[in-house]
Amino acid sequence: MAIEIERKFLVKDNSWKEGAAGKLYRQGYLSREKGRTVRVRRVEERAFLTVKGAGDGLSRPEYEYEIPVVDGQELLDSLCELPLIEKVRYLVLYAGMVWEVDEFLGDNRGLVVAEIELSSPDQRFEEPPWLGIEVTGDPRYYNSSLSREPFCGWAPG
Amino acid sequence: MAIEIERKFLVKDNSWKEGAAGKLYRQGYLSREKGRTVRVRRVEERAFLTVKGAGDGLSRPEYEYEIPVVDGQELLDSLCELPLIEKVRYLVLYAGMVWEVDEFLGDNRGLVVAEIELSSPDQRFEEPPWLGIEVTGDPRYYNSSLSREPFCGWAPG
């Protein structure tokens, strides 16, 4: 098991995007109960099956296994709950840290979320100028929630 | 994906057991919805994560992945729905076919089920003398059901 410690933020503008190259992520859920999710994810020609346990908002136990891409595609097409989540993930380097910036598609279009993975909950990092408000632990922004209640239904403004 | 085609029977007596050696199986479910189960299974020093789709009673799509045994044990201990299923599985050879005979423990003690895996739904096979009534497709005998409604609560007689 790995413990995933992550902080999640909205972004203020598109300046993070300059020069960044993204990859299409397609993912769905075989289970998205409160304390336990089972996710299938396809990223280009690779696929992963990931089990996540209950977290405290900031950290969650995570078990991730690579599976054959043909299996991943079949699981997405036939067994996962609909709708699937589609997003483009960009890796953005800032002050020596890697930010994962997810630009959502489909019913979640308009939502852009930046995540940083930390090695401890109190690890300090420099905030990039494009960083918006923190949404760590806000269940509306969980990918498993965005599948059931997409951003288009509750986007502010 | 594999398609699993199986027929399932009760047994009439213990004559199948002579000379058979069994292995302890411990398994639990991360999801056991009707058309989709996610199972964690530990067999001695190996562990597996298995996704099964909806079936027609006789055949089901199945995706099985071996995972590190330490992960399997953690998933069983911390994330699977309780109670876990415990059973001893015996492989019994009869007329050139392998029967999996499961002797359940815990709240399912007293239940013994024999399964045969077929390569097509209409494949013929010789019935061993100890074979009892067929229960293929009876949802009470699904392992995922036995976790929620154990045999001790509804055993005939």
Side-chain angles (χ1 to χ4, degrees):
Chain A
M1 176 190 62
I3 294 278
E4 183 187 47
I5 305 172
E6 268 182 354
R7 290 179 67 181
K8 189 184 282 194
F9 301 80
L10 300 182
V11 304
K12 280 199 284 222
D13 57 50
N14 271 332
S15 59
W16 58 270
K17 209 171 177 176
E18 204 178 331
K23 287 186 180 177
L24 179 65
Y25 280 55
R26 268 186 97 219
Q27 63 192 48
Y29 291 85
L30 294 168
S31 172
R32 48 182 177 189
E33 293 170 53
K34 200 151 181 266
R36 175 175 52 203
T37 59
V38 182
R39 184 188 71 202
V40 180
R41 173 183 274 177
R42 178 170 179 172
V43 187
E44 299 183 340
E45 288 313 304
R46 300 179 72 184
F48 303 88
L49 187 58
T50 307
V51 180
K52 294 194 188 195
D56 57 8
L58 187 62
S59 67
R60 296 182 76 179
E62 177 181 300
Y63 302 80
E64 183 157 80
Y65 309 106
E66 184 157 6
I67 63 174
V69 68
V70 59
D71 287 13
Q73 190 58 50
E74 284 178 12
L75 287 167
L76 287 170
D77 288 343
S78 65
L79 277 181
C80 286
E81 293 181 33
L82 296 176
L84 302 178
I85 293 278
E86 290 192 316
K87 60 187 182 184
V88 179
R89 170 164 290 181
Y90 299 83
L91 298 185
V92 179
L93 203 63
Y94 185 83
M97 297 289 282
V98 176
W99 290 82
E100 294 175 344
V101 184
D102 288 346
E103 198 171 41
F104 287 81
L105 305 175
D107 285 348
N108 290 299
R109 192 177 290 275
L111 178 61
V112 182
V113 168
E115 285 182 334
I116 188 169
E117 191 156 343
L118 304 176
S119 46
S120 73
D122 54 1
Q123 184 185 346
R124 296 172 68 94
F125 53 88
E126 207 170 316
E127 296 199 359
W130 41 262
L131 209 65
I133 61 161
E134 181 161 11
V135 296
T136 304
D138 183 334
R140 293 177 303 169
Y141 292 96
Y142 293 170
N143 281 253
S144 53
S145 309
L146 291 170
S147 160
R148 188 169 288 155
E149 299 197 47
F151 187 62
C152 64
W154 55 271
Chain B
M1 176 190 58
I3 293 279
E4 182 187 48
I5 305 172
E6 267 182 354
R7 291 179 66 181
K8 190 185 282 194
F9 300 81
L10 300 183
V11 304
K12 277 199 285 223
D13 57 49
N14 271 332
S15 60
W16 58 270
K17 208 172 177 176
E18 204 177 333
K23 287 186 181 177
L24 179 65
Y25 280 55
R26 269 186 97 219
Q27 64 191 48
Y29 291 85
L30 294 168
S31 172
R32 49 182 176 189
E33 292 170 54
K34 200 148 182 268
R36 175 175 52 201
T37 59
V38 183
R39 184 187 70 201
V40 180
R41 173 183 274 178
R42 178 171 179 173
V43 187
E44 298 183 338
E45 290 312 306
R46 299 179 73 183
F48 303 88
L49 188 58
T50 308
V51 180
K52 294 194 189 195
D56 57 8
L58 186 63
S59 67
R60 296 181 77 179
E62 177 182 299
Y63 303 80
E64 183 156 79
Y65 309 105
E66 184 157 6
I67 63 173
V69 68
V70 59
D71 286 13
Q73 190 59 49
E74 283 178 12
L75 288 167
L76 287 170
D77 289 343
S78 65
L79 277 182
C80 286
E81 293 181 34
L82 297 177
L84 302 178
I85 294 277
E86 290 192 315
K87 61 187 182 184
V88 180
R89 171 164 289 181
Y90 299 83
L91 298 184
V92 179
L93 204 62
Y94 185 83
M97 296 290 282
V98 176
W99 290 83
E100 294 175 343
V101 184
D102 287 347
E103 197 171 42
F104 287 81
L105 305 174
D107 286 348
N108 290 299
R109 192 177 289 275
L111 178 62
V112 182
V113 167
E115 285 182 335
I116 188 169
E117 191 155 342
L118 304 175
S119 46
S120 74
D122 53 1
Q123 184 185 346
R124 296 172 69 94
F125 55 88
E126 208 170 315
E127 296 199 358
W130 40 262
L131 209 66
I133 63 161
E134 180 160 11
V135 295
T136 304
D138 183 334
R140 293 177 302 169
Y141 293 95
Y142 293 171
N143 280 252
S144 53
S145 309
L146 291 171
S147 159
R148 189 169 287 155
E149 299 198 45
F151 187 62
C152 64
W154 55 271

